[in-house]
């Protein structure tokens, strides 16, 4: 690639995936993490971004719904891709139209199972355990107008032990996410560009 592609990473909470993505691309010549966007003022991702010297911006629920100020920022920063990393709001159709095929999301279950409205973070793990499932995993997919619905790009599975708890499953899932998400982002962007 002649010029690095700029990515905007969106998070709503703790931000361990966002931090992991920043580390992974720190020395990349192809992909630059330009900034973090977050819709929760008190989210842990702000401390992580500060520690790593990556700008992080807060926008409220209405900003994300109306999209104008967000799209202005994305344009001003020449953002090519949006990476959702624990981002819990629905992406507006205006943003999807501008970035179709260039927004990736990670979901902490094997979609299409355990997806849709209200299915995020610990809610997903609690539902999986309550159903006595033998496996769970992660799904990385393109974002379209429906929750957790766009084209699947990658999945990885983990076993669920007999005495698994939502907390221990969350840990396994985070491990899978941290191991796989940055590389899937890199491969997707490189193949999209070539
Ligand atoms: C991750 O497990 C991610 O898959 C999930 O939120 C967690 C965020 O963790 N995302 C969703 O549930 C989206 N539907 P993190 O803040 O430590 O990266």
């Amino acid at each position: 690639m002649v010029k690095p592609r700029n990515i905007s990473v969106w998070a709503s909470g703790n931000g361990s995936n966002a931090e992991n993505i920043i580390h992974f691309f720190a020395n990349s010549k192809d992909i630059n993490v330009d900034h973090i966007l977050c819709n929760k003022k008190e989210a842990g991702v702000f401390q992580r971004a500060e520690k790593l010297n990556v700008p992080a911006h807060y926008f409220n629920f209405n900003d994300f719904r109306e999209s104008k100020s967000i799209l202005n920022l994305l344009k001003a920063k020449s953002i090519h891709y949006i990476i959702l990393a624990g981002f819990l709001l629905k992406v507006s159709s205006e943003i999807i139209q501008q970035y179709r095929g260039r927004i990736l999301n990670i979901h902490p279950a094997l979609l299409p199972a355990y997806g849709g409205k209200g299915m995020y973070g610990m809610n997903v793990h609690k539902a999986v355990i309550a159903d006595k499932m033998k496996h769970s995993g992660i799904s990385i997919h393109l974002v379209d107008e429906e929750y957790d619905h766009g084209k699947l790009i990658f999945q990885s599975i983990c076993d669920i032990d007999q005495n698994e708890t939502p907390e221990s499953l969350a840990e396994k899932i985070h491990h899978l996410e941290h191991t796989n998400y940055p590389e899937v982002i890199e491969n997707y962007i490189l193949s999209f560009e070539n």
Side-chain angles (χ1 to χ4, degrees):
M1 243 181 296
V2 190
K3 266 184 157 182
R5 305 280 96 182
N6 290 325
I7 66 176
S8 172
V9 177
W10 296 11
S12 298
N14 181 25
S16 73
N17 277 286
E19 172 164 359
N20 186 52
I21 290 165
I22 294 169
H23 281 302
F24 185 89
F25 291 115
N27 297 313
S28 170
K29 61 179 179 22
D30 295 319
I31 292 163
N32 170 51
V33 179
D34 186 80
H35 61 258
I36 305 284
L37 294 194
C38 179
N39 61 306
K40 282 264 184 292
K41 271 195 181 137
E42 68 285 3
V45 72
F46 283 107
Q47 276 93 57
R48 292 180 188 265
E50 192 179 356
K51 187 182 72 187
L52 298 169
N53 281 321
V54 172
H57 307 285
Y58 164 76
F59 285 96
N60 66 28
F61 176 83
N62 280 334
D63 295 327
F64 276 101
R65 200 184 48 190
E66 285 160 14
S67 320
K68 204 163 181 271
S69 50
I70 309 262
L71 280 168
N72 285 343
L73 177 83
L74 299 178
K75 197 169 169 212
K77 297 282 190 171
S78 304
I79 297 301
H80 303 98
Y81 295 87
I82 298 169
I83 304 300
L84 309 186
F87 183 70
L88 304 184
L89 297 180
K90 200 158 191 271
V91 180
S92 73
S93 51
E94 287 80 3
I95 294 177
I96 293 171
Q97 274 161 31
Q98 296 280 325
Y99 280 88
R100 193 163 310 275
R102 292 185 289 135
I103 310 177
L104 295 185
N105 180 41
I106 191 157
H107 186 78
L110 296 170
L111 291 173
Y114 300 99
K117 197 161 194 258
M119 275 294 162
Y120 56 83
M122 290 306 284
N123 292 354
V124 175
H125 307 314
K126 283 179 188 159
V128 168
I129 301 274
D131 288 350
K132 302 198 185 326
M133 300 301 288
K134 296 264 180 292
H135 302 99
S136 190
I138 62 168
S139 303
I140 298 171
H141 65 96
L142 293 177
V143 172
D144 68 10
E145 282 82 353
E146 283 176 54
Y147 268 118
D148 302 324
H149 172 266
K151 184 180 170 209
L152 274 172
I153 295 174
F154 176 90
Q155 289 189 307
S156 181
I157 295 181
C158 64
D159 292 334
I160 297 182
D161 299 326
Q162 257 184 352
N163 46 8
E164 199 85 66
T165 62
E167 289 73 22
S168 65
L169 179 57
E171 219 170 285
K172 280 184 183 171
I173 294 289
H174 267 116
H175 179 70
L176 278 184
E177 294 181 334
H178 296 164
T179 309
N180 292 289
Y181 200 19
E183 217 165 298
V184 172
I185 294 167
E186 183 173 52
N187 290 338
Y188 182 78
I189 293 178
L190 296 184
S191 64
F192 194 95
E193 298 287 330
N194 292 311

